[in-house]
Amino acid sequence: MSYEPIEEKRVYLRAEQVADEIWEIVMTWEEFARRNVGGQLVRAADSIGANIAEAGGRFHPNDVKNFLYHSRGSLRETKFFLRRALQRHLIATEVFQRLNDELENLSKELNGQIRHQKERARQQ
């Protein structure tokens, strides 16, 4: 298997795309919503990709797996704040559904990566 930089992996690119889209949305909100819900939403979304990147810098499968777990936790946090944004009428239902669907797909990819690392750990 050839080396593939983390910045070229699909799961990382998807995390970046979601985080950037969330940033663009939050930047249109009024200050109170941006500072409270928006700040936490952006941090959670950014943390998905940041933890994937950190996993990519690790060697041992258990280290990689732990950062992927952190990424998955950040993904769930992002979904929580997206639901808050929907409930508080900060985003449209269609925007929520599209981002939520993308996060679901990203979650499946993360779970696949975690399974792969578990298998790597068993082989060592």
Side-chain angles (χ1 to χ4, degrees):
M1 177 186 276
S2 64
Y3 173 75
E4 182 182 19
I6 190 68
E7 294 82 8
E8 294 176 14
K9 291 190 180 286
R10 184 177 62 202
V11 67
Y12 179 84
L13 293 171
R14 287 180 103 161
E16 277 190 324
Q17 182 244 341
V18 167
D20 290 344
E21 185 171 350
I22 286 172
W23 171 269
E24 292 298 323
I25 291 166
V26 169
M27 291 307 293
T28 67
W29 296 353
E30 293 181 15
E31 182 186 355
F32 181 79
R34 192 171 58 237
R35 186 173 20 125
N36 290 287
V37 175
Q40 291 185 288
L41 175 57
V42 166
R43 279 189 296 280
D46 283 348
S47 186
I48 299 168
N51 280 295
I52 293 169
E54 187 140 7
R58 301 299 172 141
F59 174 74
H60 194 276
N62 287 331
D63 286 340
V64 175
K65 184 178 59 170
N66 284 334
F67 281 99
L68 294 174
Y69 281 140
H70 290 302
S71 182
R72 193 172 64 184
S74 294
L75 186 146
R76 300 254 197 286
E77 183 181 5
T78 302
K79 289 180 77 163
F80 172 82
F81 283 110
L82 276 176
R83 285 191 302 275
R84 301 289 41 83
L86 177 66
Q87 183 66 29
R88 295 167 186 174
H89 308 287
L90 298 169
I91 58 174
T93 303
E94 302 79 36
V95 172
F96 168 81
Q97 195 59 54
R98 185 172 36 76
L99 287 169
N100 194 59
D101 290 348
E102 183 61 29
L103 288 168
E104 276 301 308
N105 292 331
L106 185 54
S107 181
K108 290 174 186 174
E109 285 191 50
L110 279 172
N111 286 335
Q113 294 289 323
I114 290 167
R115 279 191 301 276
H116 174 72
Q117 294 306 319
K118 286 179 179 179
E119 183 59 34
R120 270 188 69 212
R122 279 192 286 272
Q123 293 173 359
Q124 286 187 344

